[in-house]
Amino acid sequence: MIAQLLAAAVALTTAQAPRAASPSVALPFPSGDVQTYNIIQWDPNQLPRIYERSDQLPLTDEELTKLSQAGFEPAQLVKMIEERRCACDASADGLIRLKKAGVDKTVLAAVSRHGLAPNRQLDILVTLDFTGESRTAREAFLYFFVDDGDITRVFSANLPELLQRRNSHETMVDRSDIMVARTVRRIQLAGHVPLKTYGAHRVMVAASASPTLTHPSQLTPQERAKAQTYTFDYPRASLQSLCRLTAGYRRDAVLAYKWNFEGSRFECEWN
């Protein structure tokens, strides 16, 4: 009996003893509303749908509109877009144009989801051919001007700096003339040209002695007369956006140690 009373007294004393206050911790979390998520619903076996892509070229806005107006069902068009992708204008204006042309809303949703990423830049390959046994170019700089909306993008090549390189793979022999074999030095440069606007663009390729040109208007009348201008249509989306610029130089008839700028060729391809 005495043992039971002592045990009860000890238990009562322990229950009434003050507890040490837990230290307050400043947590880096807001004290407002709380949202709870059930992570059991995160089933890793629920993989996203796999689309079987076709080897056909992507559809375009014009082709999609033509198929829709020809009576193809929306489900058929959605299936085609899933298989072939769409090099379409998926911007707000582009979707509005397709809607006004009668394209179904489910097809518009497929265009928005499966459309190719919009082009942000041109991949460009520059080829410079120097024909003849010379050492330097008469015009030391080659310029490549591209209009891009309200700005002009300027790219330049310092030819003396390029020609200082001595790479054996850059030299070849032109035997197109059976009587005279000509040495050709071919230098190739690959890079990217950022463009922010789509549609028609103008290009000017010019040789100049000035190293500080920032606009075609700064070319001399003689340099402008020898320059070439080109136009190309820059699509909003495509699988490939490759342009090739080739510039030719030939040994001067009088000053044999110099090359003259003879002209250029510019072409682009999309698919």
Side-chain angles (χ1 to χ4, degrees), residues 86-105:
C86 185
C88 300
D89 182 359
S91 66
D93 292 338
L95 294 176
I96 290 173
R97 284 193 294 270
L98 288 174
K99 183 179 180 182
K100 289 181 178 179
V103 178
D104 187 81
K105 62 181 181 181

PDB file of all heavy atoms in Angstrom, residues 86-105:
ATOM      1  N   CYS A  86       4.211  20.349 -87.695  1.00  0.00           N
ATOM      2  CA  CYS A  86       3.627  21.433 -88.466  1.00  0.00           C
ATOM      3  C   CYS A  86       4.595  22.613 -88.452  1.00  0.00           C
ATOM      4  O   CYS A  86       4.913  23.135 -87.383  1.00  0.00           O
ATOM      5  CB  CYS A  86       2.275  21.836 -87.870  1.00  0.00           C
ATOM      6  SG  CYS A  86       1.398  23.080 -88.819  1.00  0.00           S
ATOM      7  N   ALA A  87       5.060  22.994 -89.628  1.00  0.00           N
ATOM      8  CA  ALA A  87       5.892  24.195 -89.743  1.00  0.00           C
ATOM      9  C   ALA A  87       4.965  25.387 -89.932  1.00  0.00           C
ATOM     10  O   ALA A  87       4.957  26.052 -90.963  1.00  0.00           O
ATOM     11  CB  ALA A  87       6.862  24.052 -90.911  1.00  0.00           C
ATOM     12  N   CYS A  88       4.178  25.629 -88.913  1.00  0.00           N
ATOM     13  CA  CYS A  88       3.105  26.610 -88.979  1.00  0.00           C
ATOM     14  C   CYS A  88       3.419  27.814 -88.107  1.00  0.00           C
ATOM     15  O   CYS A  88       4.301  27.779 -87.253  1.00  0.00           O
ATOM     16  CB  CYS A  88       1.784  25.991 -88.515  1.00  0.00           C
ATOM     17  SG  CYS A  88       1.241  24.574 -89.501  1.00  0.00           S
ATOM     18  N   ASP A  89       2.649  28.863 -88.327  1.00  0.00           N
ATOM     19  CA  ASP A  89       2.722  30.050 -87.487  1.00  0.00           C
ATOM     20  C   ASP A  89       1.785  29.824 -86.309  1.00  0.00           C
ATOM     21  O   ASP A  89       0.573  29.994 -86.413  1.00  0.00           O
ATOM     22  CB  ASP A  89       2.312  31.273 -88.296  1.00  0.00           C
ATOM     23  CG  ASP A  89       2.407  32.559 -87.489  1.00  0.00           C
ATOM     24  OD1 ASP A  89       2.779  32.479 -86.293  1.00  0.00           O
ATOM     25  OD2 ASP A  89       2.106  33.625 -88.037  1.00  0.00           O
ATOM     26  N   ALA A  90       2.375  29.422 -85.172  1.00  0.00           N
ATOM     27  CA  ALA A  90       1.570  29.122 -83.983  1.00  0.00           C
ATOM     28  C   ALA A  90       1.452  30.329 -83.061  1.00  0.00           C
ATOM     29  O   ALA A  90       1.041  30.182 -81.908  1.00  0.00           O
ATOM     30  CB  ALA A  90       2.168  27.938 -83.226  1.00  0.00           C
ATOM     31  N   SER A  91       1.809  31.515 -83.558  1.00  0.00           N
ATOM     32  CA  SER A  91       1.613  32.714 -82.758  1.00  0.00           C
ATOM     33  C   SER A  91       0.126  33.030 -82.683  1.00  0.00           C
ATOM     34  O   SER A  91      -0.706  32.398 -83.348  1.00  0.00           O
ATOM     35  CB  SER A  91       2.365  33.894 -83.382  1.00  0.00           C
ATOM     36  OG  SER A  91       1.797  34.239 -84.631  1.00  0.00           O
ATOM     37  N   ALA A  92      -0.213  34.027 -81.870  1.00  0.00           N
ATOM     38  CA  ALA A  92      -1.633  34.401 -81.737  1.00  0.00           C
ATOM     39  C   ALA A  92      -2.199  34.819 -83.094  1.00  0.00           C
ATOM     40  O   ALA A  92      -3.301  34.386 -83.483  1.00  0.00           O
ATOM     41  CB  ALA A  92      -1.773  35.524 -80.711  1.00  0.00           C
ATOM     42  N   ASP A  93      -1.467  35.634 -83.842  1.00  0.00           N
ATOM     43  CA  ASP A  93      -1.943  36.074 -85.155  1.00  0.00           C
ATOM     44  C   ASP A  93      -2.075  34.904 -86.117  1.00  0.00           C
ATOM     45  O   ASP A  93      -3.032  34.842 -86.909  1.00  0.00           O
ATOM     46  CB  ASP A  93      -0.996  37.126 -85.739  1.00  0.00           C
ATOM     47  CG  ASP A  93      -1.033  38.439 -84.968  1.00  0.00           C
ATOM     48  OD1 ASP A  93      -2.045  38.695 -84.278  1.00  0.00           O
ATOM     49  OD2 ASP A  93      -0.046  39.198 -85.041  1.00  0.00           O
ATOM     50  N   GLY A  94      -1.113  33.968 -86.050  1.00  0.00           N
ATOM     51  CA  GLY A  94      -1.178  32.813 -86.934  1.00  0.00           C
ATOM     52  C   GLY A  94      -2.374  31.925 -86.646  1.00  0.00           C
ATOM     53  O   GLY A  94      -3.056  31.456 -87.569  1.00  0.00           O
ATOM     54  N   LEU A  95      -2.669  31.685 -85.384  1.00  0.00           N
ATOM     55  CA  LEU A  95      -3.825  30.870 -85.026  1.00  0.00           C
ATOM     56  C   LEU A  95      -5.127  31.567 -85.408  1.00  0.00           C
ATOM     57  O   LEU A  95      -6.097  30.919 -85.823  1.00  0.00           O
ATOM     58  CB  LEU A  95      -3.802  30.561 -83.527  1.00  0.00           C
ATOM     59  CG  LEU A  95      -2.644  29.675 -83.052  1.00  0.00           C
ATOM     60  CD1 LEU A  95      -2.671  29.525 -81.543  1.00  0.00           C
ATOM     61  CD2 LEU A  95      -2.679  28.305 -83.721  1.00  0.00           C
ATOM     62  N   ILE A  96      -5.169  32.887 -85.275  1.00  0.00           N
ATOM     63  CA  ILE A  96      -6.371  33.635 -85.682  1.00  0.00           C
ATOM     64  C   ILE A  96      -6.598  33.501 -87.182  1.00  0.00           C
ATOM     65  O   ILE A  96      -7.734  33.310 -87.638  1.00  0.00           O
ATOM     66  CB  ILE A  96      -6.238  35.115 -85.267  1.00  0.00           C
ATOM     67  CG1 ILE A  96      -6.324  35.247 -83.747  1.00  0.00           C
ATOM     68  CG2 ILE A  96      -7.316  35.967 -85.937  1.00  0.00           C
ATOM     69  CD1 ILE A  96      -6.031  36.628 -83.224  1.00  0.00           C
ATOM     70  N   ARG A  97      -5.519  33.567 -87.970  1.00  0.00           N
ATOM     71  CA  ARG A  97      -5.664  33.401 -89.417  1.00  0.00           C
ATOM     72  C   ARG A  97      -6.191  32.023 -89.773  1.00  0.00           C
ATOM     73  O   ARG A  97      -7.058  31.885 -90.650  1.00  0.00           O
ATOM     74  CB  ARG A  97      -4.326  33.657 -90.115  1.00  0.00           C
ATOM     75  CG  ARG A  97      -3.941  35.127 -90.237  1.00  0.00           C
ATOM     76  CD  ARG A  97      -2.778  35.314 -91.197  1.00  0.00           C
ATOM     77  NE  ARG A  97      -1.570  34.708 -90.666  1.00  0.00           N
ATOM     78  CZ  ARG A  97      -0.699  35.351 -89.896  1.00  0.00           C
ATOM     79  NH1 ARG A  97      -0.913  36.617 -89.568  1.00  0.00           N
ATOM     80  NH2 ARG A  97       0.393  34.754 -89.462  1.00  0.00           N
ATOM     81  N   LEU A  98      -5.683  30.995 -89.096  1.00  0.00           N
ATOM     82  CA  LEU A  98      -6.169  29.641 -89.365  1.00  0.00           C
ATOM     83  C   LEU A  98      -7.638  29.492 -88.959  1.00  0.00           C
ATOM     84  O   LEU A  98      -8.420  28.838 -89.661  1.00  0.00           O
ATOM     85  CB  LEU A  98      -5.306  28.620 -88.609  1.00  0.00           C
ATOM     86  CG  LEU A  98      -3.890  28.403 -89.136  1.00  0.00           C
ATOM     87  CD1 LEU A  98      -3.107  27.485 -88.204  1.00  0.00           C
ATOM     88  CD2 LEU A  98      -3.909  27.819 -90.545  1.00  0.00           C
ATOM     89  N   LYS A  99      -8.016  30.107 -87.858  1.00  0.00           N
ATOM     90  CA  LYS A  99      -9.417  30.037 -87.428  1.00  0.00           C
ATOM     91  C   LYS A  99     -10.332  30.718 -88.426  1.00  0.00           C
ATOM     92  O   LYS A  99     -11.407  30.208 -88.773  1.00  0.00           O
ATOM     93  CB  LYS A  99      -9.573  30.665 -86.045  1.00  0.00           C
ATOM     94  CG  LYS A  99     -10.993  30.581 -85.491  1.00  0.00           C
ATOM     95  CD  LYS A  99     -11.094  31.187 -84.111  1.00  0.00           C
ATOM     96  CE  LYS A  99     -12.532  31.094 -83.594  1.00  0.00           C
ATOM     97  NZ  LYS A  99     -12.669  31.720 -82.251  1.00  0.00           N
ATOM     98  N   LYS A 100      -9.912  31.897 -88.933  1.00  0.00           N
ATOM     99  CA  LYS A 100     -10.720  32.598 -89.922  1.00  0.00           C
ATOM    100  C   LYS A 100     -10.824  31.814 -91.217  1.00  0.00           C
ATOM    101  O   LYS A 100     -11.800  31.962 -91.973  1.00  0.00           O
ATOM    102  CB  LYS A 100     -10.124  33.978 -90.191  1.00  0.00           C
ATOM    103  CG  LYS A 100     -10.300  34.961 -89.038  1.00  0.00           C
ATOM    104  CD  LYS A 100      -9.716  36.322 -89.379  1.00  0.00           C
ATOM    105  CE  LYS A 100      -9.941  37.315 -88.245  1.00  0.00           C
ATOM    106  NZ  LYS A 100      -9.353  38.655 -88.560  1.00  0.00           N
ATOM    107  N   ALA A 101      -9.827  30.956 -91.489  1.00  0.00           N
ATOM    108  CA  ALA A 101      -9.859  30.114 -92.693  1.00  0.00           C
ATOM    109  C   ALA A 101     -10.729  28.885 -92.505  1.00  0.00           C
ATOM    110  O   ALA A 101     -10.844  28.081 -93.439  1.00  0.00           O
ATOM    111  CB  ALA A 101      -8.451  29.708 -93.082  1.00  0.00           C
ATOM    112  N   GLY A 102     -11.311  28.710 -91.309  1.00  0.00           N
ATOM    113  CA  GLY A 102     -12.223  27.598 -91.076  1.00  0.00           C
ATOM    114  C   GLY A 102     -11.606  26.368 -90.446  1.00  0.00           C
ATOM    115  O   GLY A 102     -12.251  25.319 -90.397  1.00  0.00           O
ATOM    116  N   VAL A 103     -10.384  26.463 -89.937  1.00  0.00           N
ATOM    117  CA  VAL A 103      -9.735  25.314 -89.310  1.00  0.00           C
ATOM    118  C   VAL A 103     -10.347  25.081 -87.929  1.00  0.00           C
ATOM    119  O   VAL A 103     -10.535  26.030 -87.147  1.00  0.00           O
ATOM    120  CB  VAL A 103      -8.217  25.549 -89.200  1.00  0.00           C
ATOM    121  CG1 VAL A 103      -7.533  24.371 -88.511  1.00  0.00           C
ATOM    122  CG2 VAL A 103      -7.620  25.761 -90.585  1.00  0.00           C
ATOM    123  N   ASP A 104     -10.657  23.832 -87.628  1.00  0.00           N
ATOM    124  CA  ASP A 104     -11.334  23.469 -86.379  1.00  0.00           C
ATOM    125  C   ASP A 104     -10.451  23.783 -85.163  1.00  0.00           C
ATOM    126  O   ASP A 104      -9.215  23.738 -85.236  1.00  0.00           O
ATOM    127  CB  ASP A 104     -11.681  21.978 -86.405  1.00  0.00           C
ATOM    128  CG  ASP A 104     -12.541  21.558 -85.225  1.00  0.00           C
ATOM    129  OD1 ASP A 104     -13.767  21.762 -85.275  1.00  0.00           O
ATOM    130  OD2 ASP A 104     -11.958  21.051 -84.249  1.00  0.00           O
ATOM    131  N   LYS A 105     -11.100  24.038 -84.017  1.00  0.00           N
ATOM    132  CA  LYS A 105     -10.364  24.413 -82.803  1.00  0.00           C
ATOM    133  C   LYS A 105      -9.492  23.280 -82.278  1.00  0.00           C
ATOM    134  O   LYS A 105      -8.442  23.520 -81.685  1.00  0.00           O
ATOM    135  CB  LYS A 105     -11.327  24.876 -81.718  1.00  0.00           C
ATOM    136  CG  LYS A 105     -12.328  23.823 -81.260  1.00  0.00           C
ATOM    137  CD  LYS A 105     -13.260  24.386 -80.197  1.00  0.00           C
ATOM    138  CE  LYS A 105     -14.248  23.333 -79.699  1.00  0.00           C
ATOM    139  NZ  LYS A 105     -15.166  23.892 -78.671  1.00  0.00           N
TER     140      LYS A 105
END
